[in-house]
Amino acid sequence: MTEQQIRNFGQALAERYKRVSDERAAAEKRFRESFYSPTSTRFEVLELERKRDIAQAAYDTWDEVITNLPPEIQTAFSEHFQKINSTEAK
């Protein structure tokens, strides 16, 4: 792979990893809100728990992929992930 291809691939992975991470956090938040809400039905809580578990499984898979990247792609990924995370925090 060329340097540009490595950079593009690392950036694409970082963008997708960020989305998966955000989806996991949102699913966890919705589950917790429903779990502690006196107006939630058992079915709603169980459905949100199922969605949370699916989001967690997707995150775990992506985390494993990212952990096992070759060093040059890992560097491109990390640089872009830090950039998009710091941009969102502002």
Side-chain angles (χ1 to χ4, degrees), residues 35-79:
F35 186 79
Y36 292 111
S37 172
T39 60
S40 294
T41 66
R42 176 93 171 124
F43 177 77
E44 290 170 330
V45 172
L46 289 173
E47 181 64 16
L48 290 171
E49 181 179 34
R50 183 185 70 79
K51 289 179 179 180
R52 180 202 60 182
D53 292 347
I54 290 168
Q56 182 65 49
Y59 176 82
D60 291 345
T61 299
W62 272 91
D63 193 52
E64 185 71 21
V65 167
I66 299 306
T67 300
N68 291 301
L69 287 173
E72 61 277 3
I73 298 173
Q74 179 83 36
T75 300
F77 166 85
S78 296
E79 289 171 356

